[in-house]
Amino acid sequence: MPTVIVDGKEIEIGADERLNCIEAARRAGAEIPHYCWHPGLSVVASCRMCLVETGTRDAATGKISMMPKLVPACQTPAKDGTVIVTESQLVKESRARVEEALLIDHPIDCPICDKAGECLLQDYHFQHGQAERRADLHPFTSRRRDVGPTVTLFVDRCIMCTRCVRFTREVSGTSELMVTSRGAKEEIDIFPGHPLDNKLSGNVVDLCPVGALGDKDFLYQQRVWFMKREANVCGGCSAGCSIHTEHNQDTVYRLKPRENPHVNKWWICDDGRYGWHHIHDASRIVGAGRRASSSTPLESVEWADVITRLRADLKAASRLAVAVSPMLTVEEAWMLCAVARSIDPQALLAVGHVPQAGEDETFPGGFTIRAEKCPNRLGVEGVIALFDPAVRSWNDLVSHVRAGHADAAWITGAYPAAWIDDDTAAAFADLKCLVVQDLFDSPLTALATWKLPAAGFAERAGTWVNVAHRAQAFEQAVRPPAGVWPEGRLYWNMLGRRGLYDPTAVRRQIADSSASFAALAGEIPSTGVDLRIHQLASTTS
Amino acid sequence: MKPTDAAVTWIEEKPLGLAERLYLPLFVQGLTTTARHLVSPKVTVSYPEQRPKVGNPLIYRGVHRLNRDTEGRVKCVACFLCATACPAHCIDIVATDSPWPDREKYPESFAIDELRCIFCGMCEEACPVDAIELTSLLDLTGKSREEMIFDKEKLLSVYDMTKDSEPMKSASLGGTL
């Protein structure tokens, strides 16, 4: 195993790992500051912040010979016998000088900069900069330039790390951004007539180590230090990107990608990034409502009564058909199936409507936006298979109801956009009891005997299984609006279980009772578990 | 900490001396204080007819004001540092793009709940552009709780009211004049 010596500490790295000195030092617990280097982008070594002293140790004699000059750690591969010194006087002085040079052209308008609080320039200046300025600097207002529909550029705040330029060339493959002029006059700009308008454009804002690129959707909405972040999973498509939901007082302000090497690496698409606004829509269904007959208006029902009256209504109607929405978590789907089967042991269980939009879209950097606009079709199919080996689709359910084989239907939705047309909804018109659980009113809710609210994205807890069979567990980030019980809470209570809804307890129960979900038994790492790999491992061992 | 802790030192109460036991010297001492206040000048004022005297208005912590810049616009840049520093969470700011070319961000709304405020002056300390200041206005009354939530207009009007008697403390500081 190759050995790298970081600040006198020997660490071993994998024989076929290709690490640079920043990554190797990080393993030894030494953080080398850097602006331009990003693990997902090519190396340019232009910011000079990661300069360190390096050398090599002779394997035979053990003698260490150091390089006379500082070298960029991002560009220097860590090999067997590489010596890295990250905190010598020379390195510290070099960092302080880089910081000083960066600040000469910087507006220092931190009070009005959206990046303040999570800015690398601020952090590194605090850690590595000089206490006093030698230049006579006065704060000024940065020039602002519109570069696209989602992103705005504060020209003078830029430190020319070119991460954004490399991103558009290497990952999104659209190459809208470029560097104009030379030397001290260098600026980021767009090619004339080609605004930064691609489906990954929001990522350049995350990549920007300073406040030069601003997210128009988030600009001036909230200071970053007020927000709490919750590890979450994007529900926009079946890719299931790992994200952080950043929120304050039950209001979501923005979504940020969360690094997950198995799913989304460091990126998310703009559809997901800005696709959370519907959860704060004022037209959402809140409160449970029941209609005595199709001609009477909805009357609101207390949630405590919903548990018993809903069960009684469905029991009275006898033959039940249930659409388990692919927006539900594995735990919620399992409890819904259990509730349905406890009411009618022959209940038809089908996967709810699976929204599709266009084709899968893959970018040069390997990032894929899926056409299937729901996060958990595979999870729901897997759950239904535990109750009924024949997994029915939404169309099967509609024709089942059309043929008159059902007296009652329970349709779960939670779709962010309109999903059902009048013709399809008409199939459910003659049922004795129709339960609709959704975010927004639709032709179906107009016919509903029971109209129940659904939880929005970030308001539910549980596990989603993405298109690659990777199960990711997440917690509730924000509370739903008053009058909304998330599905999990309703089903938990309808099953007669005590206390608060506990997705972990349900997950353990599912994992213990089935081979296909056995991988969910233990603690689920933040990057998720692959359901298939764990099945193979458990069958061979 | 337990009473048996080694860091605790126990001391005995002093026994009473002769003067304490006689009681009379202390009695005279107390009456002297009373008599002195009977003849000394009065410090109470008949508020509100008579205004109390504020020592130094520049360091007094009374009602807030929002300062204006040289062009009469609100000086605040909506950085939220006052709201961050506020221990009573009484400042609510809504920020947006400023309508002026030389300014980037400004407060669309700026409200202080004066009933929740504890007049600690931390907002004034935190402000990087000296936009929020505490004046020497001390009589803060209103007929309803809503009336005591001061919005941007009201805070600016406090500035207009007090700018002559209490000039801005550091007009030369910062680039946002």
Side-chain angles (χ1 to χ4, degrees), chain B residues 27-76:
Chain B
F27 179 70
V28 173
Q29 204 181 332
L31 265 189
T32 316
T33 308
T34 313
R36 196 168 60 233
H37 279 287
L38 277 175
V39 294
S40 63
K42 273 195 289 186
V43 291
T44 46
V45 293
S46 308
Y47 181 82
E49 291 81 15
Q50 214 180 334
R51 308 290 303 175
K53 196 170 167 293
V54 170
N56 180 358
L58 293 187
I59 58 168
Y60 193 85
R61 300 202 300 263
V63 180
H64 310 78
R65 73 180 188 192
L66 268 184
N67 291 340
R68 292 181 190 275
D69 63 7
T70 45
E71 294 175 41
R73 309 173 298 192
V74 61
K75 211 174 168 191
C76 170

Short mmCIF file of all heavy atoms in Angstrom, two decimals, chain B residues 27-76:
data_model
loop_
_atom_site.label_atom_id
_atom_site.label_comp_id
_atom_site.label_asym_id
_atom_site.label_seq_id
_atom_site.Cartn_x
_atom_site.Cartn_y
_atom_site.Cartn_z
N PHE B 27 -30.23 52.98 65.30
CA PHE B 27 -31.51 53.69 65.24
C PHE B 27 -31.28 55.15 64.83
O PHE B 27 -31.93 55.68 63.94
CB PHE B 27 -32.17 53.60 66.63
CG PHE B 27 -33.49 54.30 66.72
CD1 PHE B 27 -34.60 53.81 66.06
CD2 PHE B 27 -33.60 55.48 67.47
CE1 PHE B 27 -35.81 54.46 66.15
CE2 PHE B 27 -34.81 56.13 67.55
CZ PHE B 27 -35.92 55.61 66.90
N VAL B 28 -30.29 55.74 65.41
CA VAL B 28 -29.95 57.13 65.10
C VAL B 28 -29.45 57.24 63.66
O VAL B 28 -29.84 58.12 62.90
CB VAL B 28 -28.88 57.66 66.09
CG1 VAL B 28 -28.39 59.06 65.68
CG2 VAL B 28 -29.44 57.68 67.50
N GLN B 29 -28.62 56.26 63.27
CA GLN B 29 -28.08 56.23 61.91
C GLN B 29 -29.20 56.20 60.87
O GLN B 29 -29.18 56.94 59.89
CB GLN B 29 -27.20 54.99 61.77
CG GLN B 29 -26.13 55.08 60.71
CD GLN B 29 -25.34 53.78 60.65
OE1 GLN B 29 -25.20 53.07 61.64
NE2 GLN B 29 -24.80 53.49 59.49
N GLY B 30 -30.19 55.38 61.09
CA GLY B 30 -31.31 55.25 60.15
C GLY B 30 -32.11 56.53 60.07
O GLY B 30 -32.48 57.01 59.00
N LEU B 31 -32.40 57.10 61.22
CA LEU B 31 -33.20 58.34 61.26
C LEU B 31 -32.47 59.49 60.58
O LEU B 31 -33.10 60.33 59.96
CB LEU B 31 -33.50 58.71 62.72
CG LEU B 31 -34.85 58.24 63.26
CD1 LEU B 31 -35.10 58.86 64.62
CD2 LEU B 31 -35.99 58.59 62.31
N THR B 32 -31.14 59.47 60.64
CA THR B 32 -30.35 60.53 60.01
C THR B 32 -30.56 60.49 58.50
O THR B 32 -30.74 61.52 57.84
CB THR B 32 -28.86 60.33 60.33
OG1 THR B 32 -28.73 60.03 61.70
CG2 THR B 32 -28.06 61.57 59.99
N THR B 33 -30.55 59.27 57.93
CA THR B 33 -30.78 59.12 56.49
C THR B 33 -32.14 59.68 56.13
O THR B 33 -32.29 60.43 55.14
CB THR B 33 -30.69 57.64 56.12
OG1 THR B 33 -29.49 57.10 56.61
CG2 THR B 33 -30.78 57.44 54.61
N THR B 34 -33.15 59.35 56.88
CA THR B 34 -34.51 59.83 56.62
C THR B 34 -34.54 61.36 56.67
O THR B 34 -35.09 62.01 55.78
CB THR B 34 -35.48 59.26 57.67
OG1 THR B 34 -35.23 57.87 57.81
CG2 THR B 34 -36.92 59.49 57.28
N ALA B 35 -33.92 61.90 57.68
CA ALA B 35 -33.94 63.35 57.85
C ALA B 35 -33.21 64.05 56.73
O ALA B 35 -33.66 65.09 56.25
CB ALA B 35 -33.30 63.71 59.20
N ARG B 36 -32.11 63.44 56.26
CA ARG B 36 -31.35 64.06 55.19
C ARG B 36 -32.19 64.15 53.91
O ARG B 36 -32.19 65.15 53.21
CB ARG B 36 -30.08 63.26 54.92
CG ARG B 36 -29.05 64.02 54.10
CD ARG B 36 -27.70 63.34 54.07
NE ARG B 36 -27.77 62.01 53.49
CZ ARG B 36 -27.30 60.91 54.09
NH1 ARG B 36 -26.74 60.99 55.27
NH2 ARG B 36 -27.41 59.73 53.51
N HIS B 37 -32.95 63.10 53.62
CA HIS B 37 -33.80 63.12 52.41
C HIS B 37 -34.95 64.10 52.54
O HIS B 37 -35.48 64.58 51.54
CB HIS B 37 -34.31 61.71 52.12
CG HIS B 37 -33.29 60.86 51.41
ND1 HIS B 37 -32.97 61.05 50.10
CD2 HIS B 37 -32.50 59.85 51.86
CE1 HIS B 37 -32.02 60.19 49.75
NE2 HIS B 37 -31.71 59.45 50.82
N LEU B 38 -35.40 64.37 53.78
CA LEU B 38 -36.49 65.34 53.98
C LEU B 38 -36.09 66.72 53.53
O LEU B 38 -36.90 67.46 52.98
CB LEU B 38 -36.89 65.36 55.45
CG LEU B 38 -37.87 64.28 55.91
CD1 LEU B 38 -38.08 64.36 57.40
CD2 LEU B 38 -39.20 64.43 55.17
N VAL B 39 -34.82 67.05 53.71
CA VAL B 39 -34.39 68.42 53.41
C VAL B 39 -33.64 68.54 52.09
O VAL B 39 -33.46 69.64 51.58
CB VAL B 39 -33.51 68.98 54.56
CG1 VAL B 39 -34.35 69.14 55.82
CG2 VAL B 39 -32.31 68.09 54.81
N SER B 40 -33.18 67.38 51.48
CA SER B 40 -32.40 67.48 50.25
C SER B 40 -33.30 67.81 49.06
O SER B 40 -34.52 67.59 49.12
CB SER B 40 -31.68 66.15 49.99
OG SER B 40 -32.63 65.14 49.80
N PRO B 41 -32.71 68.36 47.94
CA PRO B 41 -33.56 68.72 46.78
C PRO B 41 -34.25 67.51 46.16
O PRO B 41 -33.71 66.40 46.18
CB PRO B 41 -32.56 69.36 45.81
CG PRO B 41 -31.21 69.07 46.33
CD PRO B 41 -31.32 68.69 47.75
N LYS B 42 -35.45 67.73 45.59
CA LYS B 42 -36.25 66.63 45.03
C LYS B 42 -35.65 66.12 43.71
O LYS B 42 -35.18 66.92 42.90
CB LYS B 42 -37.68 67.11 44.77
CG LYS B 42 -38.58 66.98 45.98
CD LYS B 42 -40.02 67.09 45.59
CE LYS B 42 -40.35 68.54 45.20
NZ LYS B 42 -41.80 68.71 44.95
N VAL B 43 -35.67 64.78 43.50
CA VAL B 43 -35.21 64.24 42.20
C VAL B 43 -36.38 63.76 41.36
O VAL B 43 -36.25 63.55 40.16
CB VAL B 43 -34.21 63.08 42.39
CG1 VAL B 43 -32.90 63.59 42.94
CG2 VAL B 43 -34.80 61.99 43.25
N THR B 44 -37.54 63.54 41.92
CA THR B 44 -38.71 63.09 41.15
C THR B 44 -39.26 64.24 40.32
O THR B 44 -39.18 65.40 40.72
CB THR B 44 -39.81 62.55 42.07
OG1 THR B 44 -39.99 63.47 43.14
CG2 THR B 44 -39.47 61.19 42.61
N VAL B 45 -39.81 63.90 39.15
CA VAL B 45 -40.44 64.92 38.32
C VAL B 45 -41.90 64.55 38.09
O VAL B 45 -42.26 63.37 38.16
CB VAL B 45 -39.74 65.06 36.94
CG1 VAL B 45 -38.35 65.61 37.09
CG2 VAL B 45 -39.73 63.75 36.21
N SER B 46 -42.73 65.53 37.82
CA SER B 46 -44.15 65.25 37.60
C SER B 46 -44.36 64.89 36.14
O SER B 46 -44.86 65.66 35.34
CB SER B 46 -44.99 66.48 37.96
OG SER B 46 -44.66 66.91 39.23
N TYR B 47 -43.94 63.64 35.81
CA TYR B 47 -44.11 63.15 34.44
C TYR B 47 -45.60 62.93 34.20
O TYR B 47 -46.28 62.45 35.10
CB TYR B 47 -43.31 61.86 34.29
CG TYR B 47 -43.36 61.24 32.93
CD1 TYR B 47 -42.53 61.68 31.92
CD2 TYR B 47 -44.25 60.20 32.67
CE1 TYR B 47 -42.59 61.11 30.68
CE2 TYR B 47 -44.31 59.63 31.43
CZ TYR B 47 -43.47 60.09 30.44
OH TYR B 47 -43.53 59.53 29.20
N PRO B 48 -46.22 63.22 33.07
CA PRO B 48 -45.59 63.70 31.84
C PRO B 48 -45.57 65.21 31.65
O PRO B 48 -45.05 65.67 30.64
CB PRO B 48 -46.47 63.07 30.76
CG PRO B 48 -47.81 63.03 31.36
CD PRO B 48 -47.63 62.86 32.84
N GLU B 49 -46.14 65.97 32.60
CA GLU B 49 -46.11 67.42 32.41
C GLU B 49 -44.68 67.92 32.38
O GLU B 49 -44.32 68.83 31.63
CB GLU B 49 -46.87 68.14 33.54
CG GLU B 49 -48.38 67.93 33.50
CD GLU B 49 -48.79 66.62 34.10
OE1 GLU B 49 -47.96 65.98 34.79
OE2 GLU B 49 -49.93 66.19 33.85
N GLN B 50 -43.86 67.31 33.23
CA GLN B 50 -42.46 67.70 33.35
C GLN B 50 -41.62 66.58 32.75
O GLN B 50 -41.85 65.41 33.02
CB GLN B 50 -42.17 67.83 34.84
CG GLN B 50 -41.19 68.91 35.18
CD GLN B 50 -40.98 68.94 36.68
OE1 GLN B 50 -41.85 68.53 37.47
NE2 GLN B 50 -39.84 69.41 37.09
N ARG B 51 -40.67 66.93 31.85
CA ARG B 51 -39.87 65.91 31.19
C ARG B 51 -38.66 65.52 32.04
O ARG B 51 -37.99 66.40 32.56
CB ARG B 51 -39.35 66.42 29.83
CG ARG B 51 -40.43 66.97 28.94
CD ARG B 51 -41.35 65.90 28.43
NE ARG B 51 -40.62 64.85 27.72
CZ ARG B 51 -41.20 63.75 27.24
NH1 ARG B 51 -42.48 63.55 27.44
NH2 ARG B 51 -40.49 62.87 26.59
N PRO B 52 -38.37 64.24 32.17
CA PRO B 52 -37.16 63.87 32.89
C PRO B 52 -35.93 64.28 32.07
O PRO B 52 -35.98 64.31 30.85
CB PRO B 52 -37.24 62.35 33.03
CG PRO B 52 -38.17 61.94 31.96
CD PRO B 52 -39.09 63.06 31.66
N LYS B 53 -34.83 64.54 32.76
CA LYS B 53 -33.64 64.98 32.07
C LYS B 53 -32.82 63.76 31.64
O LYS B 53 -32.55 62.87 32.44
CB LYS B 53 -32.81 65.86 33.01
CG LYS B 53 -31.77 66.68 32.30
CD LYS B 53 -31.17 67.69 33.28
CE LYS B 53 -29.90 68.31 32.72
NZ LYS B 53 -28.82 67.35 32.60
N VAL B 54 -32.51 63.70 30.35
CA VAL B 54 -31.70 62.59 29.84
C VAL B 54 -30.25 63.04 29.85
O VAL B 54 -29.93 64.11 29.34
CB VAL B 54 -32.13 62.23 28.40
CG1 VAL B 54 -31.13 61.26 27.78
CG2 VAL B 54 -33.52 61.63 28.40
N GLY B 55 -29.40 62.22 30.47
CA GLY B 55 -27.99 62.61 30.62
C GLY B 55 -27.34 62.94 29.29
O GLY B 55 -27.25 64.10 28.89
N ASN B 56 -26.94 61.92 28.53
CA ASN B 56 -26.33 62.14 27.21
C ASN B 56 -27.23 61.50 26.17
O ASN B 56 -27.29 60.28 26.08
CB ASN B 56 -24.93 61.53 27.20
CG ASN B 56 -24.25 61.73 25.85
OD1 ASN B 56 -24.85 62.29 24.93
ND2 ASN B 56 -23.02 61.27 25.73
N PRO B 57 -27.93 62.28 25.37
CA PRO B 57 -28.88 61.70 24.41
C PRO B 57 -28.20 60.78 23.40
O PRO B 57 -28.83 59.90 22.84
CB PRO B 57 -29.51 62.91 23.73
CG PRO B 57 -28.61 64.05 24.02
CD PRO B 57 -27.92 63.76 25.31
N LEU B 58 -26.91 60.97 23.16
CA LEU B 58 -26.23 60.16 22.14
C LEU B 58 -25.99 58.72 22.60
O LEU B 58 -25.79 57.84 21.78
CB LEU B 58 -24.91 60.81 21.74
CG LEU B 58 -25.04 62.14 21.01
CD1 LEU B 58 -23.69 62.60 20.53
CD2 LEU B 58 -26.00 62.05 19.84
N ILE B 59 -25.97 58.49 23.90
CA ILE B 59 -25.79 57.11 24.34
C ILE B 59 -27.03 56.57 25.04
O ILE B 59 -27.02 55.48 25.57
CB ILE B 59 -24.55 56.97 25.25
CG1 ILE B 59 -24.67 57.88 26.47
CG2 ILE B 59 -23.27 57.23 24.49
CD1 ILE B 59 -23.62 57.58 27.54
N TYR B 60 -28.11 57.36 25.01
CA TYR B 60 -29.35 56.88 25.63
C TYR B 60 -29.97 55.82 24.72
O TYR B 60 -29.86 55.89 23.51
CB TYR B 60 -30.32 58.03 25.82
CG TYR B 60 -31.48 57.67 26.72
CD1 TYR B 60 -31.36 57.77 28.10
CD2 TYR B 60 -32.68 57.21 26.18
CE1 TYR B 60 -32.41 57.42 28.92
CE2 TYR B 60 -33.73 56.85 27.00
CZ TYR B 60 -33.59 56.95 28.37
OH TYR B 60 -34.62 56.59 29.18
N ARG B 61 -30.63 54.82 25.32
CA ARG B 61 -31.23 53.77 24.49
C ARG B 61 -32.75 53.85 24.58
O ARG B 61 -33.38 53.21 25.41
CB ARG B 61 -30.73 52.40 24.94
CG ARG B 61 -29.21 52.26 24.82
CD ARG B 61 -28.81 50.83 24.76
NE ARG B 61 -29.23 50.09 25.94
CZ ARG B 61 -28.43 49.84 26.98
NH1 ARG B 61 -27.19 50.24 26.98
NH2 ARG B 61 -28.88 49.16 28.00
N GLY B 62 -33.32 54.67 23.71
CA GLY B 62 -34.76 54.82 23.67
C GLY B 62 -35.32 54.24 22.37
O GLY B 62 -34.80 53.26 21.85
N VAL B 63 -36.37 54.89 21.85
CA VAL B 63 -37.03 54.43 20.63
C VAL B 63 -36.04 54.39 19.46
O VAL B 63 -35.18 55.27 19.35
CB VAL B 63 -38.20 55.37 20.29
CG1 VAL B 63 -38.90 54.91 19.02
CG2 VAL B 63 -39.16 55.42 21.44
N HIS B 64 -36.18 53.40 18.56
CA HIS B 64 -35.29 53.28 17.42
C HIS B 64 -35.63 54.29 16.34
O HIS B 64 -36.77 54.75 16.25
CB HIS B 64 -35.41 51.89 16.78
CG HIS B 64 -35.30 50.79 17.74
ND1 HIS B 64 -36.33 50.42 18.56
CD2 HIS B 64 -34.28 49.96 18.03
CE1 HIS B 64 -35.95 49.42 19.31
NE2 HIS B 64 -34.71 49.10 19.02
N ARG B 65 -34.64 54.56 15.51
CA ARG B 65 -34.92 55.32 14.30
C ARG B 65 -34.12 54.70 13.16
O ARG B 65 -33.10 54.04 13.39
CB ARG B 65 -34.55 56.80 14.47
CG ARG B 65 -33.05 57.05 14.49
CD ARG B 65 -32.78 58.52 14.66
NE ARG B 65 -31.36 58.82 14.49
CZ ARG B 65 -30.81 59.98 14.79
NH1 ARG B 65 -31.55 60.96 15.29
NH2 ARG B 65 -29.52 60.19 14.60
N LEU B 66 -34.60 54.87 11.95
CA LEU B 66 -33.88 54.43 10.76
C LEU B 66 -33.35 55.68 10.07
O LEU B 66 -34.13 56.54 9.65
CB LEU B 66 -34.81 53.67 9.81
CG LEU B 66 -34.88 52.15 9.95
CD1 LEU B 66 -35.77 51.58 8.86
CD2 LEU B 66 -33.51 51.50 9.88
N ASN B 67 -32.05 55.75 9.96
CA ASN B 67 -31.44 56.96 9.39
C ASN B 67 -31.63 57.02 7.88
O ASN B 67 -31.81 56.01 7.21
CB ASN B 67 -29.96 56.99 9.72
CG ASN B 67 -29.74 57.22 11.20
OD1 ASN B 67 -30.64 57.71 11.89
ND2 ASN B 67 -28.57 56.86 11.68
N ARG B 68 -31.55 58.24 7.38
CA ARG B 68 -31.60 58.47 5.93
C ARG B 68 -30.20 58.82 5.45
O ARG B 68 -29.40 59.39 6.19
CB ARG B 68 -32.54 59.62 5.61
CG ARG B 68 -34.00 59.34 5.88
CD ARG B 68 -34.80 60.56 5.48
NE ARG B 68 -36.19 60.48 5.92
CZ ARG B 68 -37.15 59.86 5.23
NH1 ARG B 68 -36.86 59.28 4.09
NH2 ARG B 68 -38.38 59.85 5.68
N ASP B 69 -29.93 58.49 4.17
CA ASP B 69 -28.64 58.90 3.60
C ASP B 69 -28.76 60.33 3.09
O ASP B 69 -29.78 60.99 3.27
CB ASP B 69 -28.17 57.91 2.52
CG ASP B 69 -29.12 57.85 1.33
OD1 ASP B 69 -30.06 58.67 1.30
OD2 ASP B 69 -28.94 57.00 0.46
N THR B 70 -27.70 60.81 2.42
CA THR B 70 -27.68 62.22 2.00
C THR B 70 -28.79 62.55 1.01
O THR B 70 -29.18 63.69 0.86
CB THR B 70 -26.32 62.56 1.36
OG1 THR B 70 -25.99 61.50 0.47
CG2 THR B 70 -25.25 62.69 2.42
N GLU B 71 -29.29 61.50 0.30
CA GLU B 71 -30.36 61.76 -0.67
C GLU B 71 -31.73 61.51 -0.09
O GLU B 71 -32.73 61.45 -0.82
CB GLU B 71 -30.15 60.88 -1.90
CG GLU B 71 -28.89 61.25 -2.67
CD GLU B 71 -28.65 60.30 -3.82
OE1 GLU B 71 -29.63 59.92 -4.50
OE2 GLU B 71 -27.49 59.92 -4.03
N GLY B 72 -31.80 61.27 1.21
CA GLY B 72 -33.08 61.08 1.85
C GLY B 72 -33.64 59.68 1.74
O GLY B 72 -34.79 59.42 2.12
N ARG B 73 -32.84 58.74 1.20
CA ARG B 73 -33.32 57.36 1.10
C ARG B 73 -32.98 56.63 2.39
O ARG B 73 -32.10 57.05 3.14
CB ARG B 73 -32.64 56.64 -0.06
CG ARG B 73 -32.70 57.40 -1.36
CD ARG B 73 -31.89 56.74 -2.43
NE ARG B 73 -30.47 56.68 -2.11
CZ ARG B 73 -29.53 56.36 -2.99
NH1 ARG B 73 -29.88 56.05 -4.23
NH2 ARG B 73 -28.27 56.33 -2.65
N VAL B 74 -33.67 55.53 2.62
CA VAL B 74 -33.36 54.78 3.84
C VAL B 74 -31.92 54.27 3.74
O VAL B 74 -31.49 53.78 2.71
CB VAL B 74 -34.38 53.64 4.06
CG1 VAL B 74 -34.38 52.65 2.91
CG2 VAL B 74 -34.11 52.92 5.36
N LYS B 75 -31.18 54.42 4.83
CA LYS B 75 -29.76 54.11 4.79
C LYS B 75 -29.52 52.60 4.90
O LYS B 75 -28.47 52.10 4.49
CB LYS B 75 -29.08 54.82 5.96
CG LYS B 75 -27.66 55.22 5.68
CD LYS B 75 -27.15 56.04 6.83
CE LYS B 75 -25.65 56.22 6.75
NZ LYS B 75 -25.12 56.80 7.98
N CYS B 76 -30.50 51.92 5.47
CA CYS B 76 -30.38 50.48 5.72
C CYS B 76 -30.13 49.73 4.41
O CYS B 76 -30.72 50.04 3.37
CB CYS B 76 -31.66 49.99 6.36
SG CYS B 76 -31.80 48.21 6.49
#
